[in-house]
Amino acid sequence: MSTMESGIPAAAPVGGAVRVSERTRVGVAGAALALGMAGDALLRSAPWGLNLALWTAALALAIAGLQRWAGTDDAAAGWIPLALGTAAMIAWRDSYTLKALDLAALGTILGLAMMRARGGEVKLAGLAHHAIGVAASAGDAAVGAARLLFGDVRWSELRTDGAARQGVAVLRGGALAVPLLLVFGSLLAAADARFQRLVGGVSFDLPVVLGHVLFALLVAWIAGGILRTMTMGGEQPGPKITRPEVLSLGIVEVGMVIGLLDLLFLSFVLVQLPYFFGSGAALTQPGTATFSEYARRGFFELVTVAGLVLPMLLTADWLLRRERAGHERVFRVLAGVQVALLFVIMGSGLHRMRLYQGAYGLTELRLYTTAFMLWLGVVFCWFGWTVLRGRRERFAWGALTTALEALVLLHVVNPDGMIVRVNASRADAPTRFDAPYAASLSADAVPPLLAALPAVRPELRCMAAERLLDRWHTADADWRSWSLARGRARAAVARRQQELKSMTPCAPVLTTLTPATVVVPASRPAVAAPATDMAIMPGYQHATVPPGDVVPAAVATQANGVAPTSGAAAPALVDGAQTAAPMAGAKPRRAP
């Protein structure tokens, strides 16, 4: 069994592939085939949830069983709980963004586990070492099955091993029998109704059967590559990265690059200082072009700057020739100044997003980008504690650990539910809360949305109720896609099904213009619509009409956002000349 040091599996013996028996190699192939069949039964249903968690558990059991059977060193076994925990998070939340991050984390964990099984170092290694190691693991997963079948297993020697020979014979016989069973079973089921009910309506559909076979073989192929590396090790213990002398730079070159960037950052901070934190008078009015540029566009540029600085500093540290002890100190001072200035810029960026969210609410992009900025702040602190103190080898592992911790925290926070709660709690929520957008989010947003619906404007409440009933009023058609969030969403909608039905059907929205007109009273001043990130009514575009102008009645609307009626019965403006013109096929307009 493996030993543990600070929760990390001990290093596997370096020396290439582990010598295992022919029976073990055949066992690896059989386990891969079984995982392929399990993958076809589980993973063909989307979105992934419980099915991926179950398949990952089967993979972990296969790894543990084969390592025990072969008596190999299980140096990578400590990674199995991490993989299982990450797969379980996919069965927790329903957000597609979180599921994508979970899949990326699961792939990285399996890649590092395979690198560990080859004898590579994980805890004390650089980011490039990790990246190349994970890429090598992906290569093992892609071609490992071919090495196993055509190189590792000596099929000629199996003839002298009775048990192995019988196992191969069973597999060969099953492969020959399955297509025949499908053909004759389909014909017999078509000949008798009672027999068809007995076999469950099996029919021979060649494209469907081929699809199942190919998908099962694909999963088995990938599983075979993973199992081979985890059980038998590999030819290379891990990537070896050395810096070519031609790529090295002296302190003069590195110092000029970082020093000039420090001056650039400092000049930006000084120029922007008067309104870094919203003190500029031009930034106090939401809806103005200045406010939009400052709070929204500026934030994403600053996030990009923060994301680029980290790899630049790591590259500079790697390229630096440490000819004298003073060179290292100069680099640390210059890099430390840059990190300090960057923290000021990042603080400004976070303040910009806070202002923008305060004016227009939360969206997925705004929330996840803010979370990324906060994680970058933690990583820069870790950069200062490790790289700038001469402990570069510890940086990569800490950065990966904080990324996994941030992912767990996002699951706890529930981003989609947080978006609904924040937007519904705003003071202008009765007129500005975009319930249809909230209803288009994942199942994580359903419980808070149901709590917020009673206070939503009737026309938007109706649209949200229709979407909720359409998506969540029935039980999951396929249990394999079940997740905790989806189960809770369906249960919540079922409890309030009658209430939601009472909110529907929605009144039709006028999409054509009529020749009737309305004269805007000259006593009313022209009123410009606020330059918000979404229109008051979905599908309508705001405009400004000068006093005394004549406008079509079909495009006239009250300033409170009520949709116009048809023809001459359209309401006249009562609070200025703000209009809303319907656009064909328009959808709610939302800024990033």
Side-chain angles (χ1 to χ4, degrees), residues 369-392:
T369 311
T370 302
F372 175 70
M373 177 78 90
L374 293 173
W375 174 72
L376 275 181
V378 175
V379 172
F380 273 111
C381 290
W382 182 245
F383 174 85
W385 184 255
T386 55
V387 178
L388 296 186
R389 296 177 69 236
R391 300 177 180 178
R392 178 189 174 95

Side-chain angles (χ1 to χ4, degrees), residues 12-30:
V14 177
V18 179
R19 296 292 300 175
V20 296
S21 65
E22 293 298 324
R23 294 178 59 183
T24 300
R25 298 176 183 182
V26 174
V28 171

Side-chain angles (χ1 to χ4, degrees), residues 47-427:
W48 283 348
L50 181 62
N51 49 1
L52 183 62
L54 293 176
W55 189 85
T56 305
L59 176 65
L61 289 175
I63 293 173
L66 288 171
Q67 287 181 342
R68 186 176 183 86
W69 185 27
T72 57
D73 185 14
D74 56 350
W79 293 87
I80 292 178
L82 286 177
L84 291 176
T86 305
M89 289 196 298
I90 298 178
W92 180 6
R93 295 298 181 192
D94 187 53
S95 168
Y96 284 100
T97 304
L98 287 181
K99 287 183 182 292
L101 294 174
D102 291 338
L103 286 174
L106 180 60
T108 302
I109 289 171
L110 289 176
L112 293 176
M114 294 169 67
M115 187 175 79
R116 193 66 162 152
R118 294 194 301 270
E121 182 57 67
V122 174
K123 185 178 180 181
L124 301 177
L127 281 176
H129 183 96
H130 284 81
I132 296 177
V134 171
S137 298
D140 284 350
V143 302
R147 295 174 179 172
L148 176 67
L149 294 177
F150 306 113
D152 297 329
V153 178
R154 298 175 178 85
W155 299 101
S156 59
E157 297 181 9
L158 295 178
R159 299 174 182 176
T160 61
D161 191 327
R165 184 173 64 252
Q166 293 298 324
V168 173
V170 169
L171 293 176
R172 188 186 299 117
L176 294 174
V178 166
L180 296 176
L181 288 173
L182 289 173
V183 172
F184 288 108
S186 176
L187 293 174
L188 293 175
D192 185 82
R194 294 180 62 184
F195 184 76
Q196 185 180 22
R197 289 193 298 270
L198 176 65
V199 298
V202 176
S203 60
F204 182 76
D205 189 338
L206 184 59
V208 173
V209 172
L210 285 179
H212 282 277
V213 171
L214 291 177
F215 187 81
L217 289 178
L218 175 63
V219 176
W221 188 268
I222 297 174
I226 297 174
L227 292 177
R228 177 185 181 273
T229 301
M230 295 294 289
T231 305
M232 302 165 57
E235 288 73 18
Q236 296 295 330
K240 296 182 179 180
I241 304 173
T242 57
R243 183 193 66 195
E245 185 63 26
V246 69
L247 295 180
S248 63
L249 295 175
I251 188 60
V252 175
E253 297 95 327
V254 174
M256 287 188 63
V257 171
I258 301 180
L260 291 175
L261 286 176
D262 287 347
L263 292 176
L264 176 65
F265 285 11
L266 178 61
S267 63
F268 180 82
V269 168
L270 293 177
V271 170
Q272 303 293 314
L273 195 59
Y275 49 88
F276 249 170
F277 299 101
S279 60
L283 305 176
T284 59
Q285 297 296 326
T288 65
T290 304
F291 180 86
S292 179
E293 283 187 19
Y294 174 80
R296 183 187 67 184
R297 173 180 152 185
F299 172 77
F300 291 103
E301 272 82 357
L302 296 182
V303 171
T304 304
V305 169
L308 292 176
V309 166
L310 181 63
M312 186 272 297
L313 289 178
L314 289 172
T315 302
D317 178 73
W318 185 65
L319 294 176
L320 177 64
R321 291 195 305 267
R322 290 160 174 81
E323 298 169 340
R324 298 179 184 176
H327 295 177
E328 181 74 18
R329 289 193 295 270
V330 171
F331 171 79
R332 292 177 184 178
V333 170
L334 292 174
V337 170
Q338 187 162 128
V339 171
L341 292 172
L342 187 65
F343 271 119
V344 178
I345 295 175
M346 291 170 64
S348 171
L350 291 173
H351 181 67
R352 291 168 187 246
M353 182 51 64
R354 186 182 65 84
L355 291 176
Y356 197 69
Q357 292 173 357
Y360 305 128
L362 274 178
T363 62
E364 287 185 282
L365 180 59
R366 298 168 198 167
L367 191 150
Y368 283 109
T369 311
T370 302
F372 175 70
M373 177 78 90
L374 293 173
W375 174 72
L376 275 181
V378 175
V379 172
F380 273 111
C381 290
W382 182 245
F383 174 85
W385 184 255
T386 55
V387 178
L388 296 186
R389 296 177 69 236
R391 300 177 180 178
R392 178 189 174 95
E393 69 280 358
R394 299 181 180 274
F395 171 77
W397 174 246
L400 290 173
T401 302
T402 58
L404 185 59
E405 292 170 349
L407 182 59
V408 174
L409 183 60
L410 283 174
H411 281 74
V412 175
V413 170
N414 183 10
D416 285 3
M418 183 179 181
I419 291 171
V420 175
R421 289 191 299 271
V422 170
N423 291 346
S425 63
R426 289 159 47 87

Side-chain angles (χ1 to χ4, degrees), residues 420-460:
V420 175
R421 289 191 299 271
V422 170
N423 291 346
S425 63
R426 289 159 47 87
D428 58 357
T431 57
R432 294 283 303 280
F433 179 58
D434 192 356
Y437 167 74
S440 68
L441 297 174
S442 68
D444 301 316
V446 172
L449 177 58
L450 289 173
L453 274 184
V456 178
R457 297 204 325 252
E459 63 275 7
L460 299 182

